Amino acid sequence: MKRALLAAFVLVAAPGAGAVSAQNFATDDAVLRSIWTEAMDYSEVERLAQVLLDSVGPRLTGAPGMRAAHDWAVRQYGAWGIEARNEQYGTWRGWDRGITHIDLIEPRVRSLEGMMLAWSPGTNGRNVEGSVVILPEFSNPAAFRAWLPQVRGRFVLTSYAQQSCRPLRQFEEFGMEGALEKARDERQAGMRAWNARIQSTGLSMNDLRLALEGAGAAAILQSNWSNDYGVNKIFNTNTTRTPTIDLGCEDYGLVYRLAENDQSPKLRLRADARFTGEQPTFNTIATIPGSEKPNEYILLSAHFDSWDGGSGATDNASGTVLMMDVMRILKKVYPNPKRTILVGHWGGEEQGLNGSRAFAADHPEIVEGLHASFNQDNGTGRVVNISMQGFVDAGEYFGRWLGRIPSEVTQHIALGIPGMPGGGGSDYASFVCAGAPAFNLSALNWGYGTYTWHTNRDTYDKLVFDDIRNNVALAAMLVYLADEEPEKIGRTQRMLPPTNDGQPRTWPQCREAQRAAP
Ligand SMILES: [Zn+2]
């Protein structure tokens, strides 16, 4: 009875699905209270993520999904009454992923889990059938060249075949004494031996693919297993006529063992891909203009592009919808900021921070007037680390701000003071290098490295919305509190410690954006 009454009271006091109260949140600041209510009880992160990930899908640079996502974001900001635009910064090689379908057809039938790497050519509307050959180890590059004609019309296996597709933690949990060490040693030795086999061709992996293509291979097969259940990382290939296909760990092992044991596997592949020429690349920029200091800026930052093995949920739809919901909330509860509030949904991050580097180069006035920037890009988890990036004055500001944010949010956060300037990794580096105070809201990883980062499993279901809501409240409050500061954060840089080998360390240099595909 008591429980029911309490629940009813909470629902009345804080309407909405979440009904989360900030229990230790003693503030009489109306804006902070409104941000909390909006972030927790009227959150739009689920709705935004569902449309972006399920309907728009992955956002590979130069692909139609990226363009559709930019247009969707501008429309969504428009619906909130926020000015937004797509700003072209360059072009990239256009590529439209179609279906990949690959089957084992002999000695038995099984449809295999496989997909083209990004920018792979397809099979030109045909089914391609062929036998399988494993890349052997060669005594020298001449032996490789003598062997090479054998690949014509065949599927070539170019990766190590794992003995087991179980993650190592299972050997630790269930194995007998020494099972973990044995499995780990076997895996490492196997990988080393396979790398030696690649080296025995005298070629890098990229050049090996081109040699196989030149010799008329039907397809190049690989398996970039991510050491976790059913997870492969899906990157790009450099072939232009021969499809490059990634197979799941189990199916790659099946085909490999059949070939190794002379059981004559035969495969059939249908892959559709369209090269669409140089396509424009964009950043989506949304703005809430400043009322008192319009030439000073607070910049929210999250890259918008993704790899396309999954749908780019934790890399980086999580950061994207986080920043979008922050903008929605600020427009509603803090519509007349003193400084101009911007968000950059960057294109081309995965090819080298290209969107944000181009933006920083194209807008020196924003870099010059930047008060603070908050970037998020390492998964769906709650923020647990914020480095001051070597700006000696920043710690005082963050200490003051976190002191006014609910402990539900701040209890997880470690501040790195004075921190080290980040030279890469994500888009904050495009501003830190110019001496502008940009910070990364670094998240708890939730298995990011093996489970979702650039994998075929980076999908909607992996998002942890309670953690994202936590981050929405944090980022919106940081923007508000930063805007209330009378003075911009100082740009004094720390004395940098020497490198590990005793060399003097210098502040990271800004690098030029790549404004077209190489
Ligand atoms: Zn990312």
Side-chain angles (χ1 to χ4, degrees):
M1 190 62 201
K2 219 172 163 187
R3 278 176 72 100
L5 275 176
L6 185 63
F9 171 77
V10 171
L11 281 172
V12 169
V20 180
S21 64
Q23 285 153 4
N24 306 313
F25 188 21
T27 180
D28 50 11
D29 188 304
V31 174
L32 289 175
R33 284 214 161 275
S34 299
I35 289 173
W36 182 265
T37 303
E38 279 294 328
M40 294 299 158
D41 300 335
Y42 300 98
S43 173
E44 295 208 22
V45 292
E46 274 126 325
R47 180 184 69 79
L48 294 169
Q50 193 277 326
V51 175
L52 179 60
L53 292 170
D54 291 346
S55 180
V56 178
R59 299 163 303 284
L60 186 74
T61 303
M66 181 76 263
R67 184 67 190 263
H70 283 298
D71 292 342
W72 167 77
V74 168
R75 282 198 308 276
Q76 181 59 67
Y77 279 117
W80 290 327
I82 297 171
E83 182 213 316
R85 65 180 188 280
N86 290 329
E87 197 173 288
Q88 187 181 347
Y89 68 85
T91 63
W92 206 257
R93 189 150 70 114
W95 181 77
D96 189 6
R97 177 188 285 282
I99 59 150
T100 307
H101 192 91
I102 182 163
D103 301 292
L104 177 71
I105 53 175
E106 288 181 21
R108 65 181 175 95
V109 169
R110 174 179 162 81
S111 291
L112 304 179
E113 186 182 8
M115 78 189 300
M116 275 178 287
L117 298 198
W119 290 286
S120 169
T123 58
N124 300 313
R126 291 177 293 118
N127 284 334
V128 172
E129 292 184 6
S131 60
V132 175
V133 58
I134 300 171
L135 183 80
E137 175 147 18
F138 302 98
S139 49
N140 54 54
F144 164 72
R145 288 192 293 276
W147 167 85
L148 191 55
Q150 291 188 37
V151 306
R152 174 163 294 280
R154 302 175 82 186
F155 289 74
V156 187
L157 299 181
T158 62
S159 290
Y160 172 62
Q162 300 289 337
Q163 298 298 303
S164 170
C165 300
R166 294 182 185 276
L168 285 176
R169 60 181 180 274
Q170 280 215 322
F171 291 88
E172 189 169 23
E173 185 175 357
F174 300 112
M176 293 192 294
E177 182 84 39
L180 171 66
E181 292 71 20
K182 186 175 171 216
R184 184 193 292 141
D185 291 350
E186 279 177 1
R187 197 164 281 178
Q188 285 171 358
M191 300 285 285
R192 266 199 307 275
W194 190 266
N195 289 338
R197 190 179 292 212
I198 302 284
Q199 281 166 17
S200 77
T201 66
L203 300 174
S204 68
M205 192 65 213
N206 274 343
D207 288 342
L208 172 59
R209 285 196 191 122
L210 296 181
L212 296 171
E213 174 172 72
I220 296 163
L221 302 184
Q222 64 157 59
S223 182
N224 189 1
W225 185 49
S226 189
N227 298 293
D228 216 328
Y229 300 109
V231 187
N232 277 41
K233 297 193 190 300
I234 309 291
F235 291 104
N236 57 306
T237 187
N238 58 333
T239 54
T240 55
R241 286 167 285 130
T242 301
T244 308
I245 309 292
D246 187 275
L247 289 182
C249 184
E250 292 84 354
D251 283 342
Y252 187 86
L254 166 65
V255 174
Y256 190 100
R257 290 188 301 274
L258 288 169
E260 189 179 34
N261 291 294
D262 299 321
Q263 290 155 353
S264 306
K266 200 171 164 192
L267 300 178
R268 176 186 295 155
L269 170 68
R270 167 71 189 256
D272 294 339
R274 221 160 44 88
F275 288 94
T276 59
E278 287 290 302
Q279 293 291 323
T281 49
F282 301 94
N283 296 315
T284 297
I285 308 296
T287 307
I288 303 175
S291 55
E292 289 174 27
K293 301 172 182 172
N295 299 325
E296 293 185 13
Y297 301 91
I298 300 171
L299 173 66
L300 294 161
S301 164
H303 77 85
F304 204 7
D305 65 309
S306 70
W307 287 100
D308 75 339
S311 41
T314 66
D315 188 13
N316 186 25
S318 44
T320 300
V321 301
L322 148 60
M323 296 308 171
M324 290 180 79
D325 211 33
V326 168
M327 289 295 277
R328 174 188 71 78
I329 291 170
L330 291 172
K331 176 71 180 175
K332 189 165 174 188
V333 310
Y334 191 62
N336 298 302
K338 298 178 178 65
R339 297 178 175 88
T340 296
I341 299 170
L342 291 168
V343 60
H345 297 285
W346 315 118
E349 190 268 355
E350 298 292 2
Q351 287 75 40
L353 316 187
N354 289 320
S356 59
R357 281 177 176 158
F359 182 84
D362 293 345
H363 297 280
E365 77 290 356
I366 292 176
V367 175
E368 178 63 36
L370 193 68
H371 172 37
S373 177
F374 307 104
N375 180 69
Q376 210 272 322
D377 176 26
N378 68 324
T380 187
R382 57 193 177 273
V383 171
V384 291
N385 258 300
I386 308 175
S387 164
M388 299 300 102
Q389 299 291 332
F391 295 106
V392 297
D393 300 329
E396 178 195 333
Y397 285 78
F398 272 87
R400 194 154 55 232
W401 301 337
L402 291 193
R404 297 185 61 192
I405 292 175
S407 59
E408 278 91 330
V409 170
T410 57
Q411 66 183 323
H412 311 295
I413 300 175
L415 290 182
I417 303 174
M420 292 286 286
S426 188
D427 298 290
Y428 61 97
S430 302
F431 301 92
V432 169
C433 67
F439 307 96
N440 194 39
L441 306 177
S442 184
L444 193 66
N445 76 58
W446 281 89
Y448 188 62
T450 58
Y451 196 19
T452 59
W453 180 73
H454 302 165
T455 76
N456 55 345
R457 304 285 177 227
D458 193 13
T459 46
Y460 177 85
D461 56 286
K462 305 308 180 308
L463 296 180
V464 180
F465 286 107
D466 284 342
D467 279 20
I468 297 177
R469 272 187 281 276
N470 170 95
N471 296 347
V472 168
L474 171 67
M477 289 178 181
L478 286 175
V479 171
Y480 163 62
L481 293 167
D483 193 44
E484 293 289 295
E485 292 285 350
E487 301 294 330
K488 272 165 70 187
I489 298 177
R491 298 189 171 200
T492 306
Q493 298 170 0
R494 69 171 291 183
M495 302 265 293
L496 293 172
T499 61
N500 289 340
D501 52 359
Q503 300 303 307
R505 193 190 299 263
T506 54
W507 197 262
Q509 295 274 305
C510 288
R511 290 166 55 185
E512 256 184 67
Q514 258 187 297
R515 295 188 192 249

